[in-house]
């Protein structure tokens, strides 16, 4: 019974994180996030990297309204090329709504489904290792729709390591835009994510040690061979470069 309870708790935490990742609208390719999907009247055509949250920000609609209008249920998975109906108000055009959305004040936390931000933990509160070596081709961004981790370039097959000891809580490719994904839970507060893997070398529920090889670098769900790496603290994305030691060195804590 205890084992079943622990597994159920893991699943609940993973679902929360997956929703957070979806709403973050992260992409490993700047080009794919810089181009907006196309409008046709009151219809929006989904492009690569889109999420319902990102579309809601672009169109001035709430996530709940778009989901209800289009019959989309959580976790709000979208297909490239999918047509999303956008409710029109007062005869305004889609272009006008987009302009209003850009100039509008930020919505309150009750009007969208994104995870509430929490205060970031102090640097050095926990030891982290670099999951892979390579050039940072996309840094962290805290802006809406920004990159909620860092993208590390490398060679296909290059090893990827656990940034800290923990338990694997997700191995799969069901989350669109992340390809083969591994997530490790390090405590009740911390989870790390490793995306676009070529191969995965761990299983759900497996205990891993800091620096253990967990996958190899690839381009699944991406246009480039790279590792997309996230550190989440209570489901809020942190800038990994604030907490990682200098590349090539071990943590001193």
């Amino acid at each position: 019974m205890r084992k079943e309870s622990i597994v159920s708790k893991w699943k609940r935490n993973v679902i929360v994180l997956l929703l957070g990742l979806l709403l973050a609208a992260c992409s490993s390719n700047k080009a794919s996030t810089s181009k907006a999907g196309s409008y046709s009247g009151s219809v929006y055509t989904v492009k690569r990297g889109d999420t319902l949250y990102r579309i809601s920000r672009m169109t001035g609609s709430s996530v709940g309204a778009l989901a209800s209008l289009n019959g989309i249920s959580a976790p709000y998975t979208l297909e490239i090329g999918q047509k999303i109906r956008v409710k029109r108000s007062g005869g305004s055009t889609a272009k006008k709504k987009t302009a209003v959305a850009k100039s509008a004040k930020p919505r309150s936390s009750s009007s969208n489904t994104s995870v509430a931000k929490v205060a970031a933990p102090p640097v050095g509160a926990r030891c982290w290792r670099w999951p892979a070596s390579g050039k940072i081709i996309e840094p962290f961004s805290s802006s809406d729709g920004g990159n909620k981790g860092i993208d590390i370039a490398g060679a296909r097959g290059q090893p990827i390591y656990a940034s800290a000891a923990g338990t694997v809580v997700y191995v799969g490719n069901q989350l669109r835009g992340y390809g083969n994904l591994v997530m490790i839970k390090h405590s009740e507060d911390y989870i790390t994510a490793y995306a676009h893997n070529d191969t995965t070398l761990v299983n759900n529920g497996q205990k891993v040690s800091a620096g253990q090889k967990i996958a190899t670098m690839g381009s699944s769900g991406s246009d480039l061979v790279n590792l997309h790496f996230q550190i989440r603290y209570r489901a809020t994305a942190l800038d990994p470069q604030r907490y990682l030691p200098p590349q090539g060195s071990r943590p001193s804590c």
Side-chain angles (χ1 to χ4, degrees), residues 27-36 47-48 54 138 223:
S27 171
S28 63
N29 188 335
K30 277 188 177 180
S32 66
T33 57
S34 61
K35 297 178 182 178
K47 69 169 185 62
R48 182 187 179 90
R54 186 167 187 265
E138 182 76 21
D223 296 328

Side-chain angles (χ1 to χ4, degrees), residues 25-33 130-141 146-154 158 177-178 193-196 217-218 221-231 238-241 244 247:
C26 166
S27 171
S28 63
N29 188 335
K30 277 188 177 180
S32 66
T33 57
W130 278 86
S133 59
K135 180 181 179 180
I136 305 299
I137 56 175
E138 182 76 21
F140 175 87
S141 172
N147 194 28
K148 300 311 175 189
I150 56 175
D151 295 349
I152 306 171
Q158 180 178 328
Y178 290 86
Y194 311 75
H196 309 314
M217 194 177 294
S222 171
D223 296 328
L224 300 170
V225 174
N226 73 103
L227 168 66
H228 174 71
F229 174 66
Q230 291 192 13
I231 298 177
L238 304 177
D239 181 356
Q241 289 186 275
L244 292 168
Q247 277 213 57

Side-chain angles (χ1 to χ4, degrees), residues 13 45 47 54-55 67 82 111 156-158 167 178 204 228:
N13 287 329
T45 303
K47 69 169 185 62
R54 186 167 187 265
I55 294 172
Q82 181 177 348
S111 64
R156 188 175 302 279
Q158 180 178 328
T167 303
Y178 290 86
N204 285 316
H228 174 71

